[in-house]
Amino acid sequence: MDLPRYLQISERLTRDIAAGILRDGERLPPEVEFARSLGVSVGTLRKALAELSARGLLTRRQGSGNYVRRSASPTGIYAFFHLELKSGGGLPGARTLSADLIRPADRTDAPWDEVWRIRRLRLLDGRAAALEEIWIDAANAVAIDAHTLPESLYRHYAAAFGLWIARVEDRVRDGTVPDWTPPDSDLAPGSVCGLVLRRAESRETRMAEVSWTWFDTSRVAYVARWSEAAP
Amino acid sequence: MDLPRYLQISERLTRDIAAGILRDGERLPPEVEFARSLGVSVGTLRKALAELSARGLLTRRQGSGNYVRRSASPTGIYAFFHLELKSGGGLPGARTLSADLIRPADRTDAPWDEVWRIRRLRLLDGRAAALEEIWIDAANAVAIDAHTLPESLYRHYAAAFGLWIARVEDRVRDGTVPDWTPPDSDLAPGSVCGLVLRRAESRETRMAEVSWTWFDTSRVAYVARWSEAAP
DNA sequence: AGGAATTTGTGCGTATGTATC
DNA sequence: AGATACATACGCACAAATTCC
């Protein structure tokens, strides 16, 4: 699968930023010169830079230059996991509880006939923070074994099937305690605050659905950050 | 204030979508034809359409056409207003309750010495949905009169002072009922669900701070949407 | 202070590839 | 298979912001 050249460039720059080859605040070469050294037209390079700018990894300043913004960069894998410790951040982790192939015929809003239902305990700094339930369209997935599931499902699916998260919709709403309880966790199921719903799509096909129920609202919060370029 | 032509076009289309002139699912004319009728080049039109697509108001399908997506649409000016009707969408509006110049010395986390405190009732489809409190750094603002405040503070400030929202952080947390009550509204102050905090920045200087307290969680929800390009 | 050089922003046009109908 | 429509890519000219001398 040949990616378009502008995406090849933006991806390479993304890796360079993540790897520290391009440092925070560093200025890229002027566009004409940079484009020539990359062997593409200025327009193509500009489209790649616009990508990075939209992702917040780059600041483009007219008359000045393009500057790397490593600080504002989401950590990639966890970019769409919006639960954080109130004390700030927290390293996300996951522990798989179960993975079953089920037919959710009883739910009227079920998007597919047959799904893999994965239930995980999400951790922040090693401590239980939320319950996670993932539905993956069985028609587009592959056999899943709870014992071999890696911590980062995102990376696993990206590598194995070329899937990626194209769009996400968070919806915080009144919570209801799920009817499945996590084993040996110190969660207090009475203190549910909200529910976040997240969808992963590939092109036009919705392939997965995720929902979180988080507990202990005194410690864990929903935090979302947005960026926009100047008008 | 002369906006670039591609922004003029995207803004006009945004208004047309919000106003219902362009209906959900409707297909726009082919790009060449549309561009000609607008009197711009195809490239300029494409840049406008890319704007709308990034905002989620448009689905662009290669070989097929451009389709309006009203359902998933933040209306541009309201792109950072993340409260919606649970039934989907809802046209945002605002009614100013008060605008005062105060010195919040009592609050230890007050970011500035003197601020304009604007209190507004936010509406969805004309019905009260949330209370909004805005703090604007008085040193960087201009005298404010509650009676002449336009509905869209964002557009007002963008036009008058060249300010824009550069970054936003939403933080949903346990709510406390504000100590100021809205006049003649049918809100039920007992059903507070959460609090959203939003900051507007200009370059590196934080200049404003916004918080919402929304009521009636059976009707209004917090909804956030995200997009990411393929890896 | 001011003007020239540099650098990105906007806008136009065209050719070709690729998905859809 | 052919026509249609969007995606990618190239190149150029001028505007606007910044930087530098």
Side-chain angles (χ1 to χ4, degrees), chain A residues 9 87 168 208:
Chain A
I9 293 174
S87 53
V168 158

PDB file of all heavy atoms in Angstrom, chain A residues 9 87 168 208:
ATOM      1  N   ILE A   9       5.756  12.078   4.012  1.00  0.00           N
ATOM      2  CA  ILE A   9       6.595  13.126   4.603  1.00  0.00           C
ATOM      3  C   ILE A   9       6.137  13.472   6.010  1.00  0.00           C
ATOM      4  O   ILE A   9       6.940  13.539   6.947  1.00  0.00           O
ATOM      5  CB  ILE A   9       6.576  14.381   3.707  1.00  0.00           C
ATOM      6  CG1 ILE A   9       7.269  14.061   2.371  1.00  0.00           C
ATOM      7  CG2 ILE A   9       7.243  15.551   4.400  1.00  0.00           C
ATOM      8  CD1 ILE A   9       7.170  15.174   1.362  1.00  0.00           C
ATOM      9  N   SER A  87      -4.591  14.846  39.664  1.00  0.00           N
ATOM     10  CA  SER A  87      -3.299  15.433  39.997  1.00  0.00           C
ATOM     11  C   SER A  87      -2.465  15.672  38.742  1.00  0.00           C
ATOM     12  O   SER A  87      -1.368  16.218  38.816  1.00  0.00           O
ATOM     13  CB  SER A  87      -2.554  14.510  40.964  1.00  0.00           C
ATOM     14  OG  SER A  87      -2.496  13.196  40.437  1.00  0.00           O
ATOM     15  N   VAL A 168     -13.366  10.017  16.398  1.00  0.00           N
ATOM     16  CA  VAL A 168     -13.730   9.641  17.748  1.00  0.00           C
ATOM     17  C   VAL A 168     -14.838  10.559  18.235  1.00  0.00           C
ATOM     18  O   VAL A 168     -14.854  11.742  17.922  1.00  0.00           O
ATOM     19  CB  VAL A 168     -12.509   9.742  18.686  1.00  0.00           C
ATOM     20  CG1 VAL A 168     -12.947   9.890  20.134  1.00  0.00           C
ATOM     21  CG2 VAL A 168     -11.628   8.521  18.543  1.00  0.00           C
ATOM     22  N   ALA A 208     -15.302  -0.664  15.416  1.00  0.00           N
ATOM     23  CA  ALA A 208     -15.183  -0.934  16.844  1.00  0.00           C
ATOM     24  C   ALA A 208     -15.894   0.148  17.639  1.00  0.00           C
ATOM     25  O   ALA A 208     -16.161   1.244  17.134  1.00  0.00           O
ATOM     26  CB  ALA A 208     -13.718  -1.004  17.257  1.00  0.00           C
TER      27      ALA A 208
END
